[in-house]
Amino acid sequence: MALTSARWWRALAACVIAGATAAATLAMPAQAAGGTLFHGVYVSVFGVRDYHGYLPSSYRPGTPLPLVVALHGCTENDVGFDLLSGWSAKAEQEGFAVVFPDQNNFANPAGCWNWILSGNQHRGRGEPAIIAGITNRVSGQYGINRSRVYVTGISAGGVMANIMAVAYSDVYAAASFVAGCEYQCDPLQITTPQQSGQAALREMGSRARTVPVAIFQGTVDPAVAPSTAYRIAGQWATVAGTDTTPDVTDNGQVPGGRSYTKLTYHNNTGQPIVDQYMINGAGHSYPGGCSCSLYGDPAGPDATGISWDYFLAHPMP
């Protein structure tokens, strides 16, 4: 089903703000590669949400392939996030499917996922139930490999991606967050990461497990305190039953771009459970993202490519 013109124009408007040309905005690299765009509307007792997705040209019915569920941030939509992140282009290159749920502007005029509401922080309720429903529908329609379903997001979408990794730890094998927040996000940072981890364990219940995660955070982000990245890592370290101190520190440099520090956290058996990228000088932006978007930071490390490589290494146990 073709994407609606209204949604394309919303994505175009976001890029015009950033000074991009209309021609550059409308050129989705994945379309030209010969894959298949799909679109749907998911309806449940918790609300109605549009979504679009991409199947690579290598897709053959009956052959399971991985799925990435990608959640946009505030003032974005699903199409804009696809352009920003390049997830469809990566799906074509690597042979996996991707789906982009779209927040309903009647639910939030700014296009934010409503992570702040308690009803949207738990399994089987609110927006998590909708996103899980879209995940399940796409998985069933296209024969997805259920051991390789992943979730990612930026900003409000990053917060919601973390909620999904907690509430549906039996669905999403691994996750990545750009400028996200810990479970039951506390922007004032009054609570501790350990308390967030304990809340996550209560939500998981019998499904409790350490979901491997990659975290990306700019060091001068004016919207999300850079210390939040450590709180997310601390949440998952607590779920794993280990301390919140990183075990390995590596420094990296994008050729001609930004430097960054990668912190790796291990569980009690020495297995890595969290990769945390602190990107020097980066603001509230998508690392490696398209310059056609207000939120793109081409000078940063490639969050999409790094996330995909991370996902490949972490199927559902």
Side-chain angles (χ1 to χ4, degrees), residues 201-214:
L201 283 168
R202 289 192 295 273
E203 173 64 25
M204 290 177 172
S206 61
R207 300 176 299 277
R209 74 177 185 93
T210 305
V211 178
V213 301

Side-chain angles (χ1 to χ4, degrees), residues 143-268:
I144 296 300
N145 180 346
R146 300 279 182 157
S147 70
R148 286 197 173 276
V149 178
Y150 307 99
V151 63
T152 186
I154 181 174
S155 193
V159 185
M160 186 57 74
N162 195 12
I163 291 171
M164 298 306 296
V166 170
Y168 292 89
S169 57
D170 56 335
V171 173
Y172 302 103
S176 71
F177 322 122
V178 178
C181 196
E182 76 276 6
Y183 183 63
Q184 295 188 345
C185 182
D186 177 12
L188 297 179
Q189 301 191 2
I190 297 171
T191 58
T192 67
Q194 290 84 352
Q195 287 174 301
S196 174
Q198 290 300 324
L201 283 168
R202 289 192 295 273
E203 173 64 25
M204 290 177 172
S206 61
R207 300 176 299 277
R209 74 177 185 93
T210 305
V211 178
V213 301
I215 304 164
F216 301 87
Q217 177 65 55
T219 61
V220 295
D221 189 332
V224 177
S227 57
T228 305
Y230 294 89
R231 293 173 63 81
I232 302 172
Q235 168 210 316
W236 286 106
T238 300
V239 168
T242 189
D243 63 73
T244 60
T245 302
D247 297 286
V248 180
T249 300
D250 294 307
N251 294 314
Q253 174 72 55
V254 177
R258 298 192 187 279
S259 62
Y260 59 91
T261 300
K262 177 186 175 184
L263 308 170
T264 303
Y265 301 72
H266 294 165
N267 62 16
N268 289 328

Side-chain angles (χ1 to χ4, degrees), residues 98-134:
V98 60
V99 64
F100 301 83
D102 187 34
Q103 175 62 301
N104 189 316
N105 288 109
F106 288 106
N108 187 298
C112 308
W113 297 100
N114 292 303
W115 53 265
I116 197 169
L117 302 176
S118 176
N120 291 324
Q121 296 173 358
H122 304 287
R123 185 184 182 95
R125 297 166 59 183
E127 291 175 357
I130 294 172
I131 295 167
I134 293 171

